[in-house]
Amino acid sequence: MTENKQPRKGFFRSIIRILKAKPAIPNSLEHNPLLKTIMARRSVRRFAKKPIPEDVITVILEAGRMAPSGVNLQTWAFIWFEPPDWQETFGRSIPFGGQLAVIILSDLHRLRLLMDEVDFPEEPLILHTLAVFNAGLAAMNMTMAAEACGLSSIMLSETGRTGLLDIGMLREKLTLPEGVLPITTLVCGYARKGLKPIPPRLPMELISRKGDYPEPDREALSLWLADMKAGYKAMRPWTSFDAQVRIYQGKIHQAEEDLKKAVFPQSSEK
Ligand SMILES: Cc1cc2nc3c(=O)[nH]c(=O)nc-3n(C[C@H](O)[C@H](O)[C@H](O)COP(=O)(O)O)c2cc1C
C-alpha cells in the first residue's frame, strides 16, 4: 500500500489548492439546477450600478418570509433599503456598491406582544438562540432567492458598520424595540465580472462523521488555516486575515457588552 502523502504548506501551494477546489457533487446529480445554484454561490464584493427590479426585491423578501422556523414563531424582521434610503439613513453608499441591503433582525418583540395569549416560556438564552437561528434561515432563503434571480449577494457582520458587531449603533439608529437585534445585513446586486474562487472549506472528514463527533486532526486544521490566510491575501492584497481579526478585536468587546444588554436587560440594569 502507498503511504498517504500529506499536502504541504506554502503560499503558492495554498493558492493552487484553492484554485483547484471544487464541490464534490456525485455525477448522478451534477445537473440538478438547485444543487448547482447552491454550490456556485459565492459572496460578492463588487456590484454593478444596475438597479434591481421591484418584483425581484419582492420575491427576495417573500423567500425570507417563507423560511422555516422553530415552532413556526418566525422570530425575524427585515428592514430593507435601496441606495438612496441607505444613503439617507447611514450617510454613505451600500457596501460594495450593492443595490439592495436587507438588515435581518432576530425579533422577540413580536412574540412578547403575544405573551398574554401564548404562554411561551421566557428563557432569554434559549429564545435568543432560537430567534438568531431562525433569522439565519431567513437570511439564507433570501440569499438563494437572490441567486435564483441572477443576483449575487454577501452577508455582513461588520463591513460597512451594519451587522452583529454594530449592534449598539444599529439599535439606536433604527430605534429598535427591546428584543430586536440586527444579526446580519444581506447586500445584493448584479455581480461585476471577476474571479470568484471558493474560500477554502474545511475537509469533510473534519466536520462530519457518521454517528459521532468528528474530532479534527490538528495538522489538517492548521493546513486549512494556512490556505485561508493565503486565499485572503490573494484576493485582498492590501489587507490580510490577521488584519481582519484585529478589526474584530477592536470591536468585539463593545459588541459583546451591547449584546448582553440587549439579551439580558434586567441583569445589566443591576
Ligand atoms: C453572518 C455572516 C457575516 C459575514 N460578514 C462579512 C463581513 O462583514 N465582511 C465580509 O467581507 N464578508 C462577510 N461575510 C462573508 C464571508 O466572509 C463568506 O461567506 C465566507 O468567506 C465564505 O465565502 P463564500 O460566501 O464566498 O462561500 C459574512 C458571512 C456571513 C454568513
Side-chain angles (χ1 to χ4, degrees):
M1 217 168 82
T2 52
E3 214 177 280
N4 242 354
K5 232 174 118 197
Q6 280 287 335
R8 289 197 290 158
K9 281 188 188 168
F11 181 79
F12 291 105
R13 286 198 177 93
S14 288
I15 298 301
I16 290 168
R17 272 194 293 274
I18 289 171
L19 291 173
K20 282 176 139 177
K22 277 200 190 106
I25 311 179
N27 290 344
S28 56
L29 293 166
E30 68 183 354
H31 300 298
N32 180 294
L34 180 56
L35 287 176
K36 268 191 184 171
T37 308
I38 291 173
M39 305 295 179
R41 181 213 56 81
R42 297 272 73 78
S43 294
V44 160
R45 296 177 179 81
R46 265 181 91 222
F47 296 101
K49 214 177 166 186
K50 177 177 164 188
I52 303 175
E54 216 179 289
D55 57 343
V56 174
I57 296 179
T58 305
V59 90
I60 290 172
L61 297 170
E62 183 66 354
R65 193 173 76 95
M66 295 312 289
S69 62
V71 204
N72 195 23
L73 289 178
Q74 303 164 55
T75 48
W76 50 55
F78 318 129
I79 306 182
W80 60 282
F81 303 81
E82 288 178 278
D85 323 314
W86 185 273
Q87 182 72 39
E88 201 182 308
T89 307
F90 295 106
R92 54 179 180 270
S93 315
I94 296 181
F96 308 119
Q99 297 297 304
L100 169 71
V102 187
I103 299 184
I104 295 157
L105 308 138
S106 70
D107 186 346
L108 291 172
H109 173 65
R110 223 187 290 114
L111 178 62
R112 283 176 184 143
L113 291 179
L114 290 173
M115 283 298 191
D116 50 350
E117 291 178 50
V118 189
D119 192 18
F120 208 85
E122 177 60 65
E123 294 294 352
L125 200 50
I126 291 286
L127 279 181
H128 170 70
T129 307
L130 184 66
V132 171
F133 185 74
N134 289 342
L137 296 175
M140 199 60 210
N141 249 28
M142 287 193 238
T143 298
M144 294 320 296
E147 294 281 328
C149 296
L151 296 176
S152 295
S153 69
I154 181 165
M155 288 185 215
L156 300 179
S157 59
E158 73 74 31
T159 311
R161 289 181 272 136
T162 54
L164 184 62
L165 289 201
D166 300 292
I167 257 177
M169 181 278 275
L170 284 174
R171 288 190 73 210
E172 226 179 274
K173 179 111 314 311
L174 302 169
T175 46
L176 300 175
E178 202 174 299
V180 178
L181 295 176
I183 303 303
T184 189
T185 297
L186 177 66
V187 168
C188 303
Y190 294 95
R192 291 216 200 166
K193 288 207 171 63
L195 191 63
K196 287 197 273 171
I198 307 176
R201 292 315 204 246
L202 288 159
M204 188 60 88
E205 60 278 13
L206 260 64
I207 60 163
S208 150
R209 180 151 50 219
K210 194 171 185 186
D212 70 352
Y213 176 72
E215 182 59 39
D217 169 74
R218 280 305 302 245
E219 264 193 36
L221 205 52
S222 161
L223 182 73
W224 163 78
L225 186 60
D227 287 1
M228 259 259 287
K229 290 185 176 188
Y232 209 96
K233 194 81 208 155
M235 292 303 284
R236 283 159 275 197
W238 60 91
T239 179
S240 65
F241 179 72
D242 293 324
Q244 188 61 34
V245 172
R246 280 194 295 276
I247 293 178
Y248 270 69
Q249 283 166 352
K251 296 179 80 171
I252 210 160
H253 179 68
Q254 187 57 51
E256 174 82 9
E257 291 305 306
D258 292 340
L259 183 58
K260 274 189 212 152
K261 232 186 279 166
V263 178
F264 305 108
Q266 283 85 358
S267 44
S268 60
E269 273 160 22
K270 279 176 201 156

